[in-house]
Amino acid sequence: MTSKNRPKTPRRLSLPSVTKRMTEVVIREDITPTTPDQIPSRKDKHKRLQEQVLQQWKARMVQPELDQDQIERSIVYHTHYTLGRHRYNVDKLAVYRATAHSVHDYLLQSWNSTQEQLHKSNPKRCYYLSMEFLLGRALDNALYCLAAKNLFTQSVRTLGFCMEDLLDKEHDAGLGNGGLGRLAACYLDSAATKEYPVWGYGLRFQYGIFKQIIKDGFQLEKEDAWLGMDNPWEFPREDTQYDVRFYGYVATKVNDQGESRLSWEGGEVVKAMAYDMPIPGYRTHGSGNLRLWDCQPQSTFDFASFNHGDYADAFRDHNKANNLTAVLYPNDNHQGGKELRLKQEYFWVSASLQDIIRRFKRYKCSWHDFPEKVAVQLNDTHPTLAIPELMRLLVDVEGLDWDIAWDIVSRTVAFTNHTVLPEALECWAVPLIQHLLPRHMQIIYDINLFFLQKVEKQFPGDRELLRRVSIIEESQPQQVRMAYLAVVGSHTVNGVAALHSELVRTQLFPAFVKVYGADKFINITNGVTPRRWLYQANPGLRNLITRALGNEGWVDHLDELSKLKTLADDAQFQQEWMQVKRQNKDRLKDWLRTHMDIYVSSDALFDIQVKRIHEYKRQYMNILGVIHRYRQLREMTDEERHQQVPRVVLFGGKAAPGYDIAKLIIKLINSVAKVIDEDPLVADLLKVVFIPDYKVSLAEIIIPASDLSQHISTAGTEASGTSNMKFVMNGGLIIGTVDGANIEIRDHIGEENIFLFGTLADQVPELRHQQKYHGLLIDEDLQLVLDDIEAGVFGDPSIFNPLIDIITYGADYYLISEDFHAYLETQKTVDDTFKDKAAWAKKSIMCTAGMGFFSSDRSISEYAERIWNIKPLQR
Ligand SMILES: *Cc1c(COP(=O)(O)O)cnc(C)c1O
């Protein structure tokens, strides 16, 4: 048939398919680009038609305006049509959800605008791979970012509700353990605010970090079903799904070019489906994105089994697949080595890279340009499989040569190290990887082989060096050292505070520094977002600072805070400043009363340690210090007691469910709290409270209320710490060791404004050696405290034996006996300083004023410039 007498396709028949395509153009981020000069005339017509349809779509696009009438309509609309509720059966939770859906609509506008912009300019993008994103609540943050808090507050009031009640209905998104996950959340906030083209990639755990319950002083864990009935903040992407394989075997195949390639086959395949959460930037027109992968069952239902009456078997596959992203592993700074965890890591990394490559391919660039368009940041070693997986995709699937692929991978990937603690460094047994990911094991062996050949060439005959840098540890069984693989596959490795980065170079990877040179290893000191941790969490201080500085410019240019220094001596300003602190203490006091039925006085010094419970963080030393204080108070005369500064010592934090010593520390804290509580002699002078279920939304209430917070890790163990930054930003003084970011905080706020004490990191190895081989000297004060515990002052002493043993027989690895005396002396200095109200107020102001450097905006700009080579989106 010639083209002339071929029947023409009736136009109306082609319309639906065009319309469908246009749907994608309007609402999807990915638009297939066309080069105009190559389009034949039939395509021209087609394009004109597309253009017309696009106009139709645009004309019908609902662009909700941020005015009160529209907001109220939108909330009522969502109550009726999204939730199916009615004026007569709404409660606070329902109105929270309707409000959240309404805010989400506004965010989606910004989201779409950013995607359109990204598509037009196709800039280099960064993908931040983090197993954890500890986001906390979204509504309040989004309202501030949109500059719509007042409007929405007024709107819900018109509809008969109080905004504060609604905010409190939101369940924290607890997809993380502690500092590492919260850092990722702060970085997404800063990237969105600075309009850097950054996407986060993580896992959509059905259960986040467990809910902590305290019963009889012991920690109990309860599951955290954070998704509830619906999650108004996420957007399911049914069209974005990828297959992820496990197990199976490696086959050799001949491709179209007649080359033989390896191919991974068989095993089992599960589906990854994307869910997007918009990440609002502070007063921007656009929005960032967090893409979380959910594990979809491949074969939902086996009808054959069902028809054979095997009901349970029919669901088997379904359950298997669902289990993958069911739960976040609750270990902080500790690796468990469980197969399911490795499966999670691979599932997430594989789906993310397939997605990244699909997006890259849309622009028809050459593979050579991949590192010019894509930066991949590994947040710790959890996503290290990205290195062999990208190699597999480039070599086996895309058909590139090994050397070209390796050049691409190692120019694309960069790695952030988060710890030097040996128990936290990920190692996976070779047989496990072999079984689960047979092709990746081959690739890892090859990466190691080529790397060691290079080292051998550079340092001929240095077998010791080869052993030290080998990615494979020659143990029984062999292990893959994930941190080494990450170093070899990355162009840049960074630590998270100056001291930590130094330890990364000298303790962790000295052999790699020898091979690559020191320049590959850099420092980027962590930061926290001032939006959540100051502007939102501390309205009193926000308003005072804004009034003092004349505008809100400091919120995204935190260095502006340094102008507060000129007011630090101003008596009037000091008074206003401390009045805000007082209000924040009252807020926490009320919280303790209403939620725990505990009464404290805001006159007392609020002394706070909130963070994951860990031996290296030394909550144990804190509670031993409290026991010492209690002993002293009891031994004083009434007159002496009256001179003392009253203290409320607050603890909060979760222990990993399998970490017995950490759980015992929680029990000891609660036992001490109980005994002190029942002793009338110290009633107004000392109070100990363990606040259960520490999480982001609680941190927002606790942190602004601190006079003093404790960051007392054994020197060299806390990589950075970030809660130290949150506290100081809020005008809280800190007592701390010369560790992590404490050191840089001192440098920025002045050493007279921070209480540092204790052993220095470079003394720790020698001290541990001495203690191990020559026994330890237990300070007299410490001995008396331990005697009290052993004598049963805090209840049945037998349960605390493991804790006593740590110090007495266990070589005291975290050097509590070494630092205890200096700790007590420094606490004494704190008491004396607190008595001088003006001096304390000045220090508090100087704390906030010096914290500009610790904004995550500064951190993210450093990553963008020094590692990712990306620029803010132009508008
Ligand atoms: C900031 C934060 C942390 C980290 O605290 P560190 O003291 O730095 O360990 C942990 N948990 C929550 C909820 C946080 O907000």
Side-chain angles (χ1 to χ4, degrees), residues 244 264 346 349-351 353-354 357 384-394 440 443:
V244 178
W264 180 23
Y346 178 65
V349 151
S350 176
L353 283 171
Q354 291 183 60
I357 287 177
T384 302
L385 286 169
I387 291 164
E389 172 68 354
L390 188 50
M391 284 301 287
R392 186 187 71 83
L393 291 169
L394 294 178
H440 296 79
I443 291 173

mmCIF file with all atom_site columns, all heavy atoms in Angstrom, residues 244 264 346 349-351 353-354 357 384-394 440 443:
data_model
loop_
_atom_site.group_PDB
_atom_site.id
_atom_site.type_symbol
_atom_site.label_atom_id
_atom_site.label_alt_id
_atom_site.label_comp_id
_atom_site.label_asym_id
_atom_site.label_entity_id
_atom_site.label_seq_id
_atom_site.pdbx_PDB_ins_code
_atom_site.Cartn_x
_atom_site.Cartn_y
_atom_site.Cartn_z
_atom_site.occupancy
_atom_site.B_iso_or_equiv
_atom_site.pdbx_formal_charge
_atom_site.auth_seq_id
_atom_site.auth_comp_id
_atom_site.auth_asym_id
_atom_site.auth_atom_id
_atom_site.pdbx_PDB_model_num
ATOM 1   N N   . VAL A 1 244 ? 14.118 -4.981  41.237 1.00 0.00 ? 244 VAL A N   1
ATOM 2   C CA  . VAL A 1 244 ? 15.380 -5.180  41.967 1.00 0.00 ? 244 VAL A CA  1
ATOM 3   C C   . VAL A 1 244 ? 15.538 -6.677  42.230 1.00 0.00 ? 244 VAL A C   1
ATOM 4   O O   . VAL A 1 244 ? 14.636 -7.323  42.746 1.00 0.00 ? 244 VAL A O   1
ATOM 5   C CB  . VAL A 1 244 ? 15.396 -4.400  43.298 1.00 0.00 ? 244 VAL A CB  1
ATOM 6   C CG1 . VAL A 1 244 ? 16.692 -4.674  44.062 1.00 0.00 ? 244 VAL A CG1 1
ATOM 7   C CG2 . VAL A 1 244 ? 15.226 -2.899  43.061 1.00 0.00 ? 244 VAL A CG2 1
ATOM 8   N N   . TRP A 1 264 ? 23.437 -10.972 35.120 1.00 0.00 ? 264 TRP A N   1
ATOM 9   C CA  . TRP A 1 264 ? 22.921 -11.504 36.402 1.00 0.00 ? 264 TRP A CA  1
ATOM 10  C C   . TRP A 1 264 ? 21.483 -11.952 36.178 1.00 0.00 ? 264 TRP A C   1
ATOM 11  O O   . TRP A 1 264 ? 20.644 -11.158 35.744 1.00 0.00 ? 264 TRP A O   1
ATOM 12  C CB  . TRP A 1 264 ? 23.021 -10.396 37.447 1.00 0.00 ? 264 TRP A CB  1
ATOM 13  C CG  . TRP A 1 264 ? 22.536 -10.760 38.823 1.00 0.00 ? 264 TRP A CG  1
ATOM 14  C CD1 . TRP A 1 264 ? 22.432 -11.991 39.371 1.00 0.00 ? 264 TRP A CD1 1
ATOM 15  C CD2 . TRP A 1 264 ? 22.104 -9.839  39.825 1.00 0.00 ? 264 TRP A CD2 1
ATOM 16  N NE1 . TRP A 1 264 ? 21.966 -11.912 40.669 1.00 0.00 ? 264 TRP A NE1 1
ATOM 17  C CE2 . TRP A 1 264 ? 21.754 -10.596 40.969 1.00 0.00 ? 264 TRP A CE2 1
ATOM 18  C CE3 . TRP A 1 264 ? 21.976 -8.442  39.885 1.00 0.00 ? 264 TRP A CE3 1
ATOM 19  C CZ2 . TRP A 1 264 ? 21.289 -10.013 42.146 1.00 0.00 ? 264 TRP A CZ2 1
ATOM 20  C CZ3 . TRP A 1 264 ? 21.513 -7.868  41.064 1.00 0.00 ? 264 TRP A CZ3 1
ATOM 21  C CH2 . TRP A 1 264 ? 21.175 -8.654  42.178 1.00 0.00 ? 264 TRP A CH2 1
ATOM 22  N N   . TYR A 1 346 ? 20.741 -2.732  49.407 1.00 0.00 ? 346 TYR A N   1
ATOM 23  C CA  . TYR A 1 346 ? 20.844 -2.927  47.965 1.00 0.00 ? 346 TYR A CA  1
ATOM 24  C C   . TYR A 1 346 ? 19.568 -2.476  47.240 1.00 0.00 ? 346 TYR A C   1
ATOM 25  O O   . TYR A 1 346 ? 19.625 -1.812  46.193 1.00 0.00 ? 346 TYR A O   1
ATOM 26  C CB  . TYR A 1 346 ? 21.166 -4.384  47.617 1.00 0.00 ? 346 TYR A CB  1
ATOM 27  C CG  . TYR A 1 346 ? 21.211 -4.550  46.113 1.00 0.00 ? 346 TYR A CG  1
ATOM 28  C CD1 . TYR A 1 346 ? 22.193 -3.908  45.370 1.00 0.00 ? 346 TYR A CD1 1
ATOM 29  C CD2 . TYR A 1 346 ? 20.232 -5.271  45.438 1.00 0.00 ? 346 TYR A CD2 1
ATOM 30  C CE1 . TYR A 1 346 ? 22.217 -3.983  43.989 1.00 0.00 ? 346 TYR A CE1 1
ATOM 31  C CE2 . TYR A 1 346 ? 20.251 -5.361  44.057 1.00 0.00 ? 346 TYR A CE2 1
ATOM 32  C CZ  . TYR A 1 346 ? 21.237 -4.715  43.338 1.00 0.00 ? 346 TYR A CZ  1
ATOM 33  O OH  . TYR A 1 346 ? 21.252 -4.776  41.974 1.00 0.00 ? 346 TYR A OH  1
ATOM 34  N N   . VAL A 1 349 ? 19.596 1.312   46.957 1.00 0.00 ? 349 VAL A N   1
ATOM 35  C CA  . VAL A 1 349 ? 20.647 1.814   46.081 1.00 0.00 ? 349 VAL A CA  1
ATOM 36  C C   . VAL A 1 349 ? 20.332 1.486   44.617 1.00 0.00 ? 349 VAL A C   1
ATOM 37  O O   . VAL A 1 349 ? 20.493 2.319   43.723 1.00 0.00 ? 349 VAL A O   1
ATOM 38  C CB  . VAL A 1 349 ? 21.983 1.164   46.537 1.00 0.00 ? 349 VAL A CB  1
ATOM 39  C CG1 . VAL A 1 349 ? 22.950 1.008   45.408 1.00 0.00 ? 349 VAL A CG1 1
ATOM 40  C CG2 . VAL A 1 349 ? 22.567 1.924   47.712 1.00 0.00 ? 349 VAL A CG2 1
ATOM 41  N N   . SER A 1 350 ? 19.838 0.284   44.381 1.00 0.00 ? 350 SER A N   1
ATOM 42  C CA  . SER A 1 350 ? 19.571 -0.136  43.007 1.00 0.00 ? 350 SER A CA  1
ATOM 43  C C   . SER A 1 350 ? 18.424 0.686   42.406 1.00 0.00 ? 350 SER A C   1
ATOM 44  O O   . SER A 1 350 ? 18.533 1.195   41.286 1.00 0.00 ? 350 SER A O   1
ATOM 45  C CB  . SER A 1 350 ? 19.224 -1.628  42.975 1.00 0.00 ? 350 SER A CB  1
ATOM 46  O OG  . SER A 1 350 ? 18.878 -2.000  41.654 1.00 0.00 ? 350 SER A OG  1
ATOM 47  N N   . ALA A 1 351 ? 17.330 0.838   43.164 1.00 0.00 ? 351 ALA A N   1
ATOM 48  C CA  . ALA A 1 351 ? 16.199 1.627   42.664 1.00 0.00 ? 351 ALA A CA  1
ATOM 49  C C   . ALA A 1 351 ? 16.634 3.064   42.399 1.00 0.00 ? 351 ALA A C   1
ATOM 50  O O   . ALA A 1 351 ? 16.290 3.661   41.366 1.00 0.00 ? 351 ALA A O   1
ATOM 51  C CB  . ALA A 1 351 ? 15.050 1.589   43.672 1.00 0.00 ? 351 ALA A CB  1
ATOM 52  N N   . LEU A 1 353 ? 19.651 4.293   41.693 1.00 0.00 ? 353 LEU A N   1
ATOM 53  C CA  . LEU A 1 353 ? 20.536 4.442   40.529 1.00 0.00 ? 353 LEU A CA  1
ATOM 54  C C   . LEU A 1 353 ? 19.794 4.218   39.223 1.00 0.00 ? 353 LEU A C   1
ATOM 55  O O   . LEU A 1 353 ? 20.041 4.905   38.227 1.00 0.00 ? 353 LEU A O   1
ATOM 56  C CB  . LEU A 1 353 ? 21.728 3.488   40.637 1.00 0.00 ? 353 LEU A CB  1
ATOM 57  C CG  . LEU A 1 353 ? 22.811 3.957   41.624 1.00 0.00 ? 353 LEU A CG  1
ATOM 58  C CD1 . LEU A 1 353 ? 23.842 2.867   41.857 1.00 0.00 ? 353 LEU A CD1 1
ATOM 59  C CD2 . LEU A 1 353 ? 23.498 5.246   41.143 1.00 0.00 ? 353 LEU A CD2 1
ATOM 60  N N   . GLN A 1 354 ? 18.861 3.266   39.219 1.00 0.00 ? 354 GLN A N   1
ATOM 61  C CA  . GLN A 1 354 ? 18.063 3.072   37.993 1.00 0.00 ? 354 GLN A CA  1
ATOM 62  C C   . GLN A 1 354 ? 17.290 4.348   37.667 1.00 0.00 ? 354 GLN A C   1
ATOM 63  O O   . GLN A 1 354 ? 17.175 4.756   36.510 1.00 0.00 ? 354 GLN A O   1
ATOM 64  C CB  . GLN A 1 354 ? 17.099 1.900   38.166 1.00 0.00 ? 354 GLN A CB  1
ATOM 65  C CG  . GLN A 1 354 ? 17.795 0.540   38.245 1.00 0.00 ? 354 GLN A CG  1
ATOM 66  C CD  . GLN A 1 354 ? 16.775 -0.593  38.333 1.00 0.00 ? 354 GLN A CD  1
ATOM 67  O OE1 . GLN A 1 354 ? 15.951 -0.768  37.429 1.00 0.00 ? 354 GLN A OE1 1
ATOM 68  N NE2 . GLN A 1 354 ? 16.825 -1.357  39.410 1.00 0.00 ? 354 GLN A NE2 1
ATOM 69  N N   . ILE A 1 357 ? 19.727 7.065   36.383 1.00 0.00 ? 357 ILE A N   1
ATOM 70  C CA  . ILE A 1 357 ? 20.166 6.793   35.011 1.00 0.00 ? 357 ILE A CA  1
ATOM 71  C C   . ILE A 1 357 ? 19.031 7.055   34.016 1.00 0.00 ? 357 ILE A C   1
ATOM 72  O O   . ILE A 1 357 ? 19.239 7.630   32.948 1.00 0.00 ? 357 ILE A O   1
ATOM 73  C CB  . ILE A 1 357 ? 20.696 5.338   34.894 1.00 0.00 ? 357 ILE A CB  1
ATOM 74  C CG1 . ILE A 1 357 ? 22.059 5.256   35.578 1.00 0.00 ? 357 ILE A CG1 1
ATOM 75  C CG2 . ILE A 1 357 ? 20.777 4.894   33.442 1.00 0.00 ? 357 ILE A CG2 1
ATOM 76  C CD1 . ILE A 1 357 ? 22.665 3.871   35.613 1.00 0.00 ? 357 ILE A CD1 1
ATOM 77  N N   . THR A 1 384 ? 27.053 2.149   50.128 1.00 0.00 ? 384 THR A N   1
ATOM 78  C CA  . THR A 1 384 ? 28.291 1.885   49.384 1.00 0.00 ? 384 THR A CA  1
ATOM 79  C C   . THR A 1 384 ? 28.084 0.945   48.201 1.00 0.00 ? 384 THR A C   1
ATOM 80  O O   . THR A 1 384 ? 28.820 1.012   47.207 1.00 0.00 ? 384 THR A O   1
ATOM 81  C CB  . THR A 1 384 ? 29.368 1.313   50.338 1.00 0.00 ? 384 THR A CB  1
ATOM 82  O OG1 . THR A 1 384 ? 29.569 2.263   51.383 1.00 0.00 ? 384 THR A OG1 1
ATOM 83  C CG2 . THR A 1 384 ? 30.672 1.065   49.623 1.00 0.00 ? 384 THR A CG2 1
ATOM 84  N N   . LEU A 1 385 ? 27.061 0.089   48.273 1.00 0.00 ? 385 LEU A N   1
ATOM 85  C CA  . LEU A 1 385 ? 26.793 -0.805  47.137 1.00 0.00 ? 385 LEU A CA  1
ATOM 86  C C   . LEU A 1 385 ? 26.481 -0.006  45.869 1.00 0.00 ? 385 LEU A C   1
ATOM 87  O O   . LEU A 1 385 ? 26.463 -0.570  44.775 1.00 0.00 ? 385 LEU A O   1
ATOM 88  C CB  . LEU A 1 385 ? 25.643 -1.765  47.463 1.00 0.00 ? 385 LEU A CB  1
ATOM 89  C CG  . LEU A 1 385 ? 25.983 -2.908  48.431 1.00 0.00 ? 385 LEU A CG  1
ATOM 90  C CD1 . LEU A 1 385 ? 24.720 -3.630  48.886 1.00 0.00 ? 385 LEU A CD1 1
ATOM 91  C CD2 . LEU A 1 385 ? 26.946 -3.908  47.771 1.00 0.00 ? 385 LEU A CD2 1
ATOM 92  N N   . ALA A 1 386 ? 26.241 1.302   46.016 1.00 0.00 ? 386 ALA A N   1
ATOM 93  C CA  . ALA A 1 386 ? 26.039 2.138   44.824 1.00 0.00 ? 386 ALA A CA  1
ATOM 94  C C   . ALA A 1 386 ? 27.240 2.041   43.887 1.00 0.00 ? 386 ALA A C   1
ATOM 95  O O   . ALA A 1 386 ? 27.091 2.151   42.667 1.00 0.00 ? 386 ALA A O   1
ATOM 96  C CB  . ALA A 1 386 ? 25.820 3.596   45.234 1.00 0.00 ? 386 ALA A CB  1
ATOM 97  N N   . ILE A 1 387 ? 28.428 1.818   44.454 1.00 0.00 ? 387 ILE A N   1
ATOM 98  C CA  . ILE A 1 387 ? 29.632 1.778   43.611 1.00 0.00 ? 387 ILE A CA  1
ATOM 99  C C   . ILE A 1 387 ? 29.632 0.530   42.710 1.00 0.00 ? 387 ILE A C   1
ATOM 100 O O   . ILE A 1 387 ? 29.666 0.670   41.486 1.00 0.00 ? 387 ILE A O   1
ATOM 101 C CB  . ILE A 1 387 ? 30.893 1.927   44.490 1.00 0.00 ? 387 ILE A CB  1
ATOM 102 C CG1 . ILE A 1 387 ? 30.935 3.365   45.052 1.00 0.00 ? 387 ILE A CG1 1
ATOM 103 C CG2 . ILE A 1 387 ? 32.158 1.616   43.698 1.00 0.00 ? 387 ILE A CG2 1
ATOM 104 C CD1 . ILE A 1 387 ? 31.880 3.553   46.227 1.00 0.00 ? 387 ILE A CD1 1
ATOM 105 N N   . PRO A 1 388 ? 29.568 -0.694  43.271 1.00 0.00 ? 388 PRO A N   1
ATOM 106 C CA  . PRO A 1 388 ? 29.481 -1.859  42.373 1.00 0.00 ? 388 PRO A CA  1
ATOM 107 C C   . PRO A 1 388 ? 28.192 -1.882  41.543 1.00 0.00 ? 388 PRO A C   1
ATOM 108 O O   . PRO A 1 388 ? 28.206 -2.373  40.405 1.00 0.00 ? 388 PRO A O   1
ATOM 109 C CB  . PRO A 1 388 ? 29.556 -3.062  43.314 1.00 0.00 ? 388 PRO A CB  1
ATOM 110 C CG  . PRO A 1 388 ? 29.298 -2.535  44.685 1.00 0.00 ? 388 PRO A CG  1
ATOM 111 C CD  . PRO A 1 388 ? 29.718 -1.105  44.682 1.00 0.00 ? 388 PRO A CD  1
ATOM 112 N N   . GLU A 1 389 ? 27.096 -1.355  42.080 1.00 0.00 ? 389 GLU A N   1
ATOM 113 C CA  . GLU A 1 389 ? 25.841 -1.378  41.315 1.00 0.00 ? 389 GLU A CA  1
ATOM 114 C C   . GLU A 1 389 ? 25.941 -0.466  40.088 1.00 0.00 ? 389 GLU A C   1
ATOM 115 O O   . GLU A 1 389 ? 25.492 -0.837  38.998 1.00 0.00 ? 389 GLU A O   1
ATOM 116 C CB  . GLU A 1 389 ? 24.661 -0.961  42.205 1.00 0.00 ? 389 GLU A CB  1
ATOM 117 C CG  . GLU A 1 389 ? 23.329 -0.768  41.487 1.00 0.00 ? 389 GLU A CG  1
ATOM 118 C CD  . GLU A 1 389 ? 22.702 -2.042  40.926 1.00 0.00 ? 389 GLU A CD  1
ATOM 119 O OE1 . GLU A 1 389 ? 23.334 -3.114  40.973 1.00 0.00 ? 389 GLU A OE1 1
ATOM 120 O OE2 . GLU A 1 389 ? 21.568 -1.949  40.418 1.00 0.00 ? 389 GLU A OE2 1
ATOM 121 N N   . LEU A 1 390 ? 26.530 0.715   40.244 1.00 0.00 ? 390 LEU A N   1
ATOM 122 C CA  . LEU A 1 390 ? 26.680 1.605   39.084 1.00 0.00 ? 390 LEU A CA  1
ATOM 123 C C   . LEU A 1 390 ? 27.634 0.971   38.069 1.00 0.00 ? 390 LEU A C   1
ATOM 124 O O   . LEU A 1 390 ? 27.402 1.061   36.856 1.00 0.00 ? 390 LEU A O   1
ATOM 125 C CB  . LEU A 1 390 ? 27.172 2.989   39.542 1.00 0.00 ? 390 LEU A CB  1
ATOM 126 C CG  . LEU A 1 390 ? 27.197 4.102   38.495 1.00 0.00 ? 390 LEU A CG  1
ATOM 127 C CD1 . LEU A 1 390 ? 25.866 4.223   37.746 1.00 0.00 ? 390 LEU A CD1 1
ATOM 128 C CD2 . LEU A 1 390 ? 27.559 5.453   39.140 1.00 0.00 ? 390 LEU A CD2 1
ATOM 129 N N   . MET A 1 391 ? 28.654 0.300   38.558 1.00 0.00 ? 391 MET A N   1
ATOM 130 C CA  . MET A 1 391 ? 29.551 -0.433  37.640 1.00 0.00 ? 391 MET A CA  1
ATOM 131 C C   . MET A 1 391 ? 28.769 -1.497  36.871 1.00 0.00 ? 391 MET A C   1
ATOM 132 O O   . MET A 1 391 ? 28.906 -1.648  35.658 1.00 0.00 ? 391 MET A O   1
ATOM 133 C CB  . MET A 1 391 ? 30.697 -1.101  38.423 1.00 0.00 ? 391 MET A CB  1
ATOM 134 C CG  . MET A 1 391 ? 31.786 -0.159  38.880 1.00 0.00 ? 391 MET A CG  1
ATOM 135 S SD  . MET A 1 391 ? 32.588 0.734   37.524 1.00 0.00 ? 391 MET A SD  1
ATOM 136 C CE  . MET A 1 391 ? 33.584 -0.551  36.778 1.00 0.00 ? 391 MET A CE  1
ATOM 137 N N   . ARG A 1 392 ? 27.942 -2.259  37.577 1.00 0.00 ? 392 ARG A N   1
ATOM 138 C CA  . ARG A 1 392 ? 27.159 -3.315  36.923 1.00 0.00 ? 392 ARG A CA  1
ATOM 139 C C   . ARG A 1 392 ? 26.238 -2.731  35.867 1.00 0.00 ? 392 ARG A C   1
ATOM 140 O O   . ARG A 1 392 ? 26.153 -3.237  34.740 1.00 0.00 ? 392 ARG A O   1
ATOM 141 C CB  . ARG A 1 392 ? 26.333 -4.090  37.961 1.00 0.00 ? 392 ARG A CB  1
ATOM 142 C CG  . ARG A 1 392 ? 25.590 -5.300  37.395 1.00 0.00 ? 392 ARG A CG  1
ATOM 143 C CD  . ARG A 1 392 ? 24.670 -5.922  38.433 1.00 0.00 ? 392 ARG A CD  1
ATOM 144 N NE  . ARG A 1 392 ? 23.505 -5.090  38.720 1.00 0.00 ? 392 ARG A NE  1
ATOM 145 C CZ  . ARG A 1 392 ? 22.381 -5.071  37.986 1.00 0.00 ? 392 ARG A CZ  1
ATOM 146 N NH1 . ARG A 1 392 ? 22.280 -5.853  36.910 1.00 0.00 ? 392 ARG A NH1 1
ATOM 147 N NH2 . ARG A 1 392 ? 21.378 -4.284  38.322 1.00 0.00 ? 392 ARG A NH2 1
ATOM 148 N N   . LEU A 1 393 ? 25.549 -1.640  36.206 1.00 0.00 ? 393 LEU A N   1
ATOM 149 C CA  . LEU A 1 393 ? 24.609 -1.040  35.260 1.00 0.00 ? 393 LEU A CA  1
ATOM 150 C C   . LEU A 1 393 ? 25.347 -0.522  34.027 1.00 0.00 ? 393 LEU A C   1
ATOM 151 O O   . LEU A 1 393 ? 24.875 -0.674  32.898 1.00 0.00 ? 393 LEU A O   1
ATOM 152 C CB  . LEU A 1 393 ? 23.822 0.097   35.935 1.00 0.00 ? 393 LEU A CB  1
ATOM 153 C CG  . LEU A 1 393 ? 22.830 -0.355  37.017 1.00 0.00 ? 393 LEU A CG  1
ATOM 154 C CD1 . LEU A 1 393 ? 22.302 0.823   37.824 1.00 0.00 ? 393 LEU A CD1 1
ATOM 155 C CD2 . LEU A 1 393 ? 21.659 -1.128  36.383 1.00 0.00 ? 393 LEU A CD2 1
ATOM 156 N N   . LEU A 1 394 ? 26.517 0.085   34.231 1.00 0.00 ? 394 LEU A N   1
ATOM 157 C CA  . LEU A 1 394 ? 27.257 0.662   33.105 1.00 0.00 ? 394 LEU A CA  1
ATOM 158 C C   . LEU A 1 394 ? 27.909 -0.427  32.242 1.00 0.00 ? 394 LEU A C   1
ATOM 159 O O   . LEU A 1 394 ? 27.879 -0.358  31.017 1.00 0.00 ? 394 LEU A O   1
ATOM 160 C CB  . LEU A 1 394 ? 28.331 1.639   33.607 1.00 0.00 ? 394 LEU A CB  1
ATOM 161 C CG  . LEU A 1 394 ? 27.810 2.910   34.297 1.00 0.00 ? 394 LEU A CG  1
ATOM 162 C CD1 . LEU A 1 394 ? 28.962 3.778   34.787 1.00 0.00 ? 394 LEU A CD1 1
ATOM 163 C CD2 . LEU A 1 394 ? 26.902 3.714   33.367 1.00 0.00 ? 394 LEU A CD2 1
ATOM 164 N N   . HIS A 1 440 ? 27.720 -8.641  42.105 1.00 0.00 ? 440 HIS A N   1
ATOM 165 C CA  . HIS A 1 440 ? 28.399 -7.549  42.821 1.00 0.00 ? 440 HIS A CA  1
ATOM 166 C C   . HIS A 1 440 ? 29.658 -8.043  43.510 1.00 0.00 ? 440 HIS A C   1
ATOM 167 O O   . HIS A 1 440 ? 30.643 -7.316  43.591 1.00 0.00 ? 440 HIS A O   1
ATOM 168 C CB  . HIS A 1 440 ? 27.446 -6.897  43.821 1.00 0.00 ? 440 HIS A CB  1
ATOM 169 C CG  . HIS A 1 440 ? 26.279 -6.242  43.158 1.00 0.00 ? 440 HIS A CG  1
ATOM 170 N ND1 . HIS A 1 440 ? 25.205 -6.963  42.710 1.00 0.00 ? 440 HIS A ND1 1
ATOM 171 C CD2 . HIS A 1 440 ? 26.049 -4.956  42.818 1.00 0.00 ? 440 HIS A CD2 1
ATOM 172 C CE1 . HIS A 1 440 ? 24.346 -6.140  42.125 1.00 0.00 ? 440 HIS A CE1 1
ATOM 173 N NE2 . HIS A 1 440 ? 24.829 -4.923  42.177 1.00 0.00 ? 440 HIS A NE2 1
ATOM 174 N N   . ILE A 1 443 ? 32.301 -8.032  41.028 1.00 0.00 ? 443 ILE A N   1
ATOM 175 C CA  . ILE A 1 443 ? 32.727 -6.662  40.714 1.00 0.00 ? 443 ILE A CA  1
ATOM 176 C C   . ILE A 1 443 ? 33.599 -6.102  41.843 1.00 0.00 ? 443 ILE A C   1
ATOM 177 O O   . ILE A 1 443 ? 34.613 -5.458  41.596 1.00 0.00 ? 443 ILE A O   1
ATOM 178 C CB  . ILE A 1 443 ? 31.487 -5.764  40.455 1.00 0.00 ? 443 ILE A CB  1
ATOM 179 C CG1 . ILE A 1 443 ? 30.819 -6.194  39.146 1.00 0.00 ? 443 ILE A CG1 1
ATOM 180 C CG2 . ILE A 1 443 ? 31.877 -4.288  40.397 1.00 0.00 ? 443 ILE A CG2 1
ATOM 181 C CD1 . ILE A 1 443 ? 29.498 -5.510  38.862 1.00 0.00 ? 443 ILE A CD1 1
#
